[in-house]
Amino acid sequence: MLHPHFNCMSEMPPSKKWCIRWAVCLSFILALIPRSRGSMLNCHKMCICASNIVSCSKMNLTMVPSELPNYTAVLDVSFNKITGLRAQWTKHKLPNLHNLLLSHNGLSFISSEAFIFVKQLRYLDLSSNKLRQLDEFIFEPLIHLEVLLLYNNQISQMDRTAFSGLSGLQKLYLSQNQVSRFPLELVKDKSRLDKLSLLDLSSNRIKVLPIQDLQALPAWIKNGLYFHNNTLICDCELYNLMAHWYIRRLNSAVDFKDEHTCVHASPDKRVLRLYDLNTHMNCSTFKETDQEAYLEQTLTLSCDTKQRKMSKTWMLPGNILVPPDSNQSDNKFVNNGNLEIKSIRPEDSGVYTCFAVSEYLNETLYVVVKVHNFTLDGNGETLNTAYTTLVGCLASVVMVLIYLYLTPCRCFCCPDQGKKNQHEDSIHSSMLSATPTHEDMATKAELNRHVAFIDPKDLQGQNGKVNPNGDEEVDEEAMQGKGRRKKSVADSISSVFSDTPMVV
């Protein structure tokens, strides 16, 4: 006997039979389709929805809720049990999502395509998870991202391209990880992130810093560069770097002064305060050096401020204001906030002052300029008096040696000089004589020669010109009534060698 149901089916019209059959088939098909692994968003049970904010914090979730509304601007799924962020964590684009919070989840895996549907993110919090490495180009789609939090993870490896594409990134937090290499590519030259103003690498395992490269960075980058509580090796270059930053009152040096430490290279591996190295390692006390220049050189003075895009005004020595509308035709002009001095002269030495003003900060910088009195290649326009005196003395010694050892031959070997006294020296001896000779030349010939230098106090004038004072002197002949004689005047022949030793 047939079941009553079939009896009912046999009595139904054909159209109704057809509908029932399709309904049964559809139910079988839906039963065979696997359900989505993500849970549907339920703003009443698992999340709190407030306008465009969706908060699902502390709900023991293992997946990010699917089917999020398109208008979601802030999504908080922190303090859950989400271990991986895969490519399909959201089924469709979320064009309005700008804040994503995934902290405290035990997150250990992030797909390279995890952010292709959320390219408008400006704030991403991945802190306090179990991330161990950052793969190449992992954040590349996030061209609008401004703040990235990665602190308190287990990151030990970072690909050099991991942060490529983050052209808008301003703050990057990498503290409390296991990073052992300073990521210089983030702050140096063409590879650096142009808008990055804060890089926190504190409490990692960095041992060596690229000190020369860090010194060359603009002050606005150094002001937000944090690397305290690392395992840095103590040396005097590191001390000088941080001492300079502390004098400039950079935030990274001042705010964590007591937490800047280093490991001494001794058997016991002592941990020392970095600012005490001048006593522990005899590092010289750091002092700001003056800026030096040479004659005719073009000098550029940088107003290296702690913030970007500040309004800058320069003051010359003597409190002379550089007009803001100065151009390159002037000897001193302002170019992109820097003061340029063309064909610098000794009178340009002094203290130059830069006043920098912004909406949040006023800063005053002083640059001391010292101009050497010679050009860079050593060809000076004027010579120092000390150098002139030294050259004169050397020339005098050479002339005396020439006179003593290279004088002309005696009269017995010079036939043309037979009529002259055989004991007489050459005429050069009379030219080098300090005073005129009043005695017979024959009696003077037997006297020994000796050298006498003019006392500098008897010189007047400069550049080798001698003006004797003309005071009278008395010799034995004068005492015997033979008359008085005076020193020769400047126009006499002996004045020709006034800067040289005299032979008498």
Side-chain angles (χ1 to χ4, degrees), residues 112-165:
S112 59
E113 299 179 352
F115 304 108
I116 58 175
F117 285 166
V118 289
K119 294 183 179 180
Q120 302 300 320
L121 278 181
R122 297 198 300 268
Y123 183 95
L124 176 59
D125 186 359
L126 297 170
S127 63
S128 299
N129 282 292
K130 295 182 180 180
L131 296 174
R132 294 181 178 274
Q133 64 182 33
L134 300 177
D135 297 328
E136 58 182 359
F137 303 108
I138 188 172
F139 301 111
E140 187 178 30
L142 304 178
I143 59 176
H144 301 289
L145 192 66
E146 298 176 358
V147 180
L148 176 56
L149 281 66
L150 288 164
Y151 64 85
N152 194 27
N153 275 278
Q154 301 171 13
I155 300 172
S156 59
Q157 298 180 12
M158 294 188 302
D159 190 272
R160 293 180 181 271
T161 62
F163 302 101
S164 295

Side-chain angles (χ1 to χ4, degrees), residues 51-69:
S51 183
N52 59 357
I53 299 175
V54 178
S55 177
C56 307
S57 180
K58 299 181 180 180
M59 294 295 179
N60 291 323
L61 299 178
T62 58
M63 298 287 293
V64 179
S66 60
E67 303 300 331
L68 294 167

